[in-house]
Amino acid sequence: MGIGRIIRDALSFGDLSRAERLGIALFLVAMAVFPFAVKSGFGRAVAVQFLLYATLGLSWNFIGGYGGQIDLGGAKNVGFGAYGVALPMLWWNAPFWVGLPIGVAAAVLESLVLGLALLRLRGHYFAIGTLAVALVWQELFTFWRWTNGARGVLLPLKPTPDFLYMQFGPVGFHYAALFLFVLSLCWLNWFRKSKLGYELRAIREDEDAAASLGIDVLAAKLKAYCISAAVAAAAGAFYAVYYGYIDPASVMHMDLSVMIAMTAMIGGAGVLWGPVVGAAVLIPLDRYLGAWLGGDALGIDFVIYALIIMLVAAYQPKGVWGIIESLAPARSAQRNEWRDA
Amino acid sequence: MNRGRWAVLSLIVLAALAAVPAAAQPAVRIGVILPLSGPLAPTGQELRRGYELMVDIVNNVHPELAALGLEVAGWEGIPSLGGAKIELVFADSRGDPAIGADMARRLIMEENVVGLTGAYQSGVTQTVATVAERMGVPLVNSDSSSPTLTMLGYQWFWRVTPHDRIFDDDLFNLLDGLVAGQAPGVGPVPKESLSRLAIVAENTEFGVASGDDIRNRLAPERGYDVVDYIQYTSNSPDLTSETTRLVNSGADAYLFVSYVSDAILFMRTLKLLGASPTLIWGQDAGFTNPDFVDAIGPDLHGVLTRSLFISKIGQVKPIAAAINELYRERHGKDLSEESARETLGVQVWAHALQRAGSTDPAALKEALDNLYIPGEQLITPWEGVQFGAGRPGEMNQNIHATGMIGQYQYNPDTGEVQLEIVYPFDFATADMVHPFPGWN
Amino acid sequence: MSVFLEVSIQGVLMGLTYALLALGLTVIFGVMDMVNFAHGEFLMIGMYAAYLTAAHVFPDPLVGVPVAGLIGLVLGALSYRLLVRRLLQGPTIAQIFGTFGLMLFLRYGALAVFGPNLRSAPGGLVVGQRLVLGGLVLDGAKVTAAAGSALLFALIYWFLQRTRVGLGLRATAAHREAARYMGVDTDAMNSIGWAIGGATAGMAGALLVNFYYVSPTVGMVFAMITFTTVALGGFGSVPGAFVAGIIVGVVEAVTAQYFSPQLKLAVIYLVFFLVVLLRPHGLLGAR
């Protein structure tokens, strides 16, 4: 398979319906002009959060959505990416672009080694296994002295905007996040049309049947698991420079793992746009609900969340995207089947 | 319409016109970031009440406080800004560093605040300080105790209250004072009965920073011996093994850096094992929490805790009593450590605005850098507020800030457990109970 | 007495409590191959039931044990009827997130209702009692919980092995379709499984109140160690949960004594991870 073919697949959305292509174009244009249209600092911050979580949700989709392997340990990859940037910057004043590959490589390597073991587990066992692995990493990063332990890492601040260290104003961060998001989207777009993507969908439907068809199940899952780790780690690296401070509790916590999976799940797991829709629902809801309820109604925001999650899980497991699809009868059933197969 | 009515009407119009210039003077907006929801919501609400109390004192006239020498009580706004009132704009961090930073951006860009204050948890304050530094907006902090915050070289961050190293110093001043016979009601204590220390610290930034400081800096400096340093994971289901190790260490003094849930488990297990140290000290946090006091009750008799503020100080400092009284009228309870902290933060903001005579960031920075508030205007036992380098590598830290150490004392007649001040010795409100008397 | 022995005995004691926490979770998994992520919150509700009984009705959390059991039973059955039954029609991911939603709902609902404060039992027959055996000091409340654990395990084991309903539950666990053909009402069995899971979690919570504080987020403290215990013993295996609970308790105590207290959870997860790799269905797992 030539490079040209890969790039063409990654950039081509030709198999999607006209309405979807129009949606994509409108969405990307909206995101591109967002910093000029919206002057609100809070709105901009929410937009960056949205792009970040959408990227993380896309990363989950590789293994969780298309592969049907419920990964509840995504935060460890975010942590590797974030520490990969933060620690070299702290120790050697290494630029972001040196730290980024370190963090991504660490996440991929770890996923490769532990994935060999974890990916032999199925269903709930895999979910609990990934949860436990992520917890061990969090405990270790808290325990170790060389990671600064629980104290976390404060990134050195640059006096002027600096591309090498990825430090600039809110607008710069917006485009950096958008760039990362588009890159991940294209990667997933290639993935869903690739041989690997079809193999994983086959595994999701029936692992034993997939194996009997001659698919190397473990190898396929492992590849997707590593791609997923790489994307999440890149998002983690961005997180580190954006907030300027990381600690195990904020970048490796179970809540983050769950939030990543939830973004994809609420939007629609195993659908290209699922995580984007999920993040578009969850992140503004989260931020504005919190700002709106303020301190007066303790816990109510999470109760509302929980109700949404339970309703989606019980009545529309395909997520918000499933609702959108059911509202758009124009699309032929046959095409749908082809896409989801 | 008769003349009388005309007279009344014109008086009303005149009064309204007179009121207009004052009302037209735009308020000075200050952004406050607090954990108003999430697990620390009750603390956040408590902090908020402190801010609101002092803003009320600054904005409205309070002759009884002004008579005691509290300058801001006579101001009715900021005089140098034409009597402009201070308006607080609250934002909820939920205790999350990322959300805290977002809130800081929102307050600066949308709410047009002239400066910031908050954000309680050191991790959140760190990201908020980064935003403030990048955008050149002053952040006055009176509620975070991580020593690093004033060691980052940040130009736009000032801390009014002490950090954990200052509190650690207080502990060793108390220990040395005990040996020297300075503690009220206790004769000189042989150093051998106090020299072996065991530290129990949760493995968070707060726990590790404080534990390391005691073991690596203070213990060697003051000639004490750390026999065990137990770091544990907070919110563990069980702390029996940690407590057993602590008792087996044979230490004289147990020093705890723990939040409330773990503090409760440790004290219960210590009682169960019948531990008999000569001294138990807690680094604030869990040890000053009302739930902790409820859970342990009379067994707390003799336990020490550091605190920024103990309302009993009113017995020896009238201004503190008067401000506490005002708070009591509103909320039916004494000022807590949390609410007390934030009254100081607002006081500093008021003085800085008055001194700057402008809301221009550079002028405010200049005013904060050169600020001085004399000690008699403060509810704390400090000599004053003045920012500088208290120790090498530090900047914009209030060099006069110190803490207090309180001791829980049980009164069998009333059945109440009271927190009495035992340090600073000059401000003690009761004789100290020493050695630790054991469990009931 | 040697330190090792002392540490091990304390570990066994706490381990029996962990086993008790795991009992309800493993029963539910056994019947229907499903992890109840809200299990820690069932525990929390049981703790509040016992605490409130002790605070307002009779000042001893032990009196709250049947109350908490009953409330847990209703909670479990209701969760199944209103939520889980629908989740079963969806994919695995919907099941995981469905009970996850239930977890969040109960946790933050409790925060809204009870407030964030930590509560402790005002006193009771075994609260704070010391039990001295030779040179060993044991917590009377933990000994009570351990005894309660052994008792409940025996009861549930007997119920599963010796009663008609128990047979139905085991049949459903072994092969749902076959059981249905044989005339077992599998939907009712699921319901009963959830009711038992809820009831045991409630009672476990009540026994915990004797020595543990209550707060809306306390379920989180116990949740991971409970999952680990169940996975270690083999999902769905009742004797497995019993043995695994004790192993977890001892490993935890020994790690804290000889390595570092900070690492005790990491070592438990590591043991779990290794067991899952070597025996994917746990120590005593059936499948």
Side-chain angles (χ1 to χ4, degrees), chain B residues 42 203 237-238 240 242 272 291, chain C residues 116 118 130 142 212 262 264:
Chain B
N203 63 349
D238 185 39
T240 310
E242 286 84 347
L272 198 80
D291 293 343
Chain C
L118 275 69
R130 300 176 63 177
K142 276 187 194 164
Y212 216 83
Q262 276 190 88
K264 64 185 191 184

Side-chain angles (χ1 to χ4, degrees), chain B residues 115-268:
Chain B
L116 294 170
T117 175
Y120 195 61
Q121 290 110 314
S122 293
V124 184
T125 308
Q126 210 138 52
T127 57
V128 171
T130 307
V131 172
E133 189 73 13
R134 278 178 181 164
M135 302 179 83
V137 172
L139 167 58
V140 173
N141 171 285
S142 54
D143 52 22
S144 302
S145 64
S146 166
T148 5
L149 288 167
T150 36
M151 300 188 76
L152 300 167
Y154 280 13
Q155 306 287 322
W156 295 91
F157 181 86
W158 293 264
R159 174 161 45 199
V160 184
T161 43
H163 53 67
D164 290 329
R165 291 197 185 162
I166 298 175
F167 288 124
D168 296 341
D169 287 347
D170 291 338
L171 166 69
F172 282 82
N173 293 342
L174 174 85
L175 294 178
D176 286 350
L178 272 170
V179 174
Q182 293 168 335
V186 186
V189 173
K191 187 156 185 180
E192 304 83 72
S193 73
L194 270 179
S195 61
R196 284 171 309 156
L197 314 176
I199 307 166
V200 182
E202 62 164 37
N203 63 349
T204 58
E205 132 91 50
F206 170 54
V208 174
S210 193
D212 284 5
D213 185 43
I214 293 174
R215 186 185 62 173
N216 301 339
R217 181 174 68 94
L218 278 157
E221 239 176 61
R222 309 280 188 106
Y224 293 82
D225 186 16
V226 176
V227 292
D228 204 355
Y229 180 15
I230 301 169
Q231 291 181 32
Y232 68 93
T233 307
S234 62
N235 288 322
S236 293
D238 185 39
L239 293 169
T240 310
S241 19
E242 286 84 347
T243 319
T244 313
R245 218 178 104 172
L246 172 65
V247 174
N248 289 343
S249 74
D252 303 316
Y254 299 166
L255 313 178
F256 287 96
V257 192
S258 303
Y259 276 102
V260 57
S261 51
D262 303 318
I264 292 175
L265 293 183
F266 273 123
M267 293 303 286
R268 285 195 176 162

Side-chain angles (χ1 to χ4, degrees), chain B residues 37-57:
Chain B
S37 67
L40 280 176
T43 312
Q45 302 294 349
E46 187 70 24
L47 296 162
R48 180 179 184 152
R49 288 192 278 272
Y51 280 117
E52 284 167 346
L53 181 80
M54 190 50 87
V55 162
D56 178 83
I57 293 174

Side-chain angles (χ1 to χ4, degrees), chain A residues 15 28 53 59-60 63 70 90 111 145 190 211 213-214 219 254 258 266 282 291 295 304 310 329 335:
Chain A
D15 58 308
L28 289 179
Y53 276 94
S59 84
W60 191 86
I63 184 72
I70 317 297
L90 183 75
S111 298
R145 288 286 164 129
W190 161 80
L213 288 172
M254 192 171 107
V258 171
I266 296 283
L282 277 179
I304 296 173
M310 285 193 286
R335 268 179 36 81

Side-chain angles (χ1 to χ4, degrees), chain A residues 37-341:
Chain A
V38 179
K39 293 285 174 231
S40 138
F42 188 54
R44 284 176 175 176
V46 171
V48 173
Q49 284 267 321
F50 158 71
L51 288 170
L52 190 63
Y53 276 94
T55 308
L56 287 171
L58 288 172
S59 84
W60 191 86
N61 232 354
F62 285 96
I63 184 72
Y66 288 98
Q69 311 297 312
I70 317 297
D71 179 0
L72 291 181
K76 73 170 172 25
N77 299 320
V78 179
F80 280 123
Y83 275 97
V85 165
L87 289 173
M89 203 180 280
L90 183 75
W91 295 331
W92 313 305
N93 199 23
F96 171 83
W97 301 103
V98 172
L100 176 71
I102 297 178
V104 171
V108 170
L109 199 69
E110 186 265 3
S111 298
L112 192 67
V113 173
L114 291 186
L116 267 175
L118 277 173
L119 288 162
R120 289 171 207 273
L121 304 173
R122 290 190 191 183
H124 285 91
Y125 295 96
F126 177 75
I128 301 269
T130 53
L131 203 61
V133 166
L135 278 167
V136 171
W137 281 118
Q138 193 200 334
E139 297 274 330
L140 288 175
F141 270 68
T142 312
F143 173 72
W144 283 330
R145 288 286 164 129
W146 64 272
T147 56
N148 266 20
R151 302 169 111 166
V153 182
L154 188 70
L155 271 62
L157 209 60
K158 299 288 161 199
T160 50
D162 191 330
F163 179 71
L164 271 185
Y165 291 88
M166 285 285 280
Q167 290 197 2
F168 16 70
V171 178
F173 277 123
H174 180 90
Y175 287 111
L178 185 61
F179 177 73
L180 181 65
F181 166 77
V182 171
L183 211 63
S184 314
L185 188 70
C186 291
W187 200 350
L188 190 65
N189 190 37
W190 161 80
F191 173 84
R192 74 190 171 93
K193 291 179 266 187
S194 69
K195 178 161 167 274
L196 183 59
Y198 283 103
E199 286 178 351
L200 272 152
R201 269 171 281 200
I203 292 167
R204 179 181 69 190
E205 296 316 317
D206 190 332
E207 199 165 323
D208 297 322
S212 70
L213 288 172
I215 295 173
D216 186 342
V217 172
L218 187 63
K221 286 202 281 190
L222 205 53
K223 279 183 210 160
Y225 191 57
C226 290
I227 296 175
S228 166
V231 175
F238 173 80
Y239 182 106
V241 283
Y242 181 58
Y243 288 111
Y245 170 72
I246 56 164
D247 63 349
S250 56
V251 292
M252 300 190 107
H253 198 269
M254 192 171 107
D255 287 357
L256 180 60
S257 295
V258 171
M259 190 72 189
I260 295 171
M262 213 153 68
T263 309
M265 156 80 191
I266 296 283
V271 183
L272 180 64
W273 286 100
V276 184
V277 175
V281 173
L282 277 179
I283 297 301
L285 183 77
D286 184 49
R287 294 300 183 271
Y288 284 101
L289 206 61
W292 175 56
L293 287 171
D296 302 324
L298 201 53
I300 294 297
D301 43 352
F302 277 96
V303 170
I304 296 173
Y305 256 10
L307 281 172
I308 295 174
I309 296 167
M310 285 193 286
L311 284 174
V312 168
Y315 291 96
Q316 186 47 276
K318 281 169 138 183
V320 177
W321 190 261
I323 298 172
I324 297 174
E325 272 190 333
S326 65
L327 292 177
R331 186 172 301 126
S332 75
Q334 189 204 346
R335 268 179 36 81
N336 243 335
E337 220 162 277
W338 176 82
R339 261 208 16 215
D340 288 348

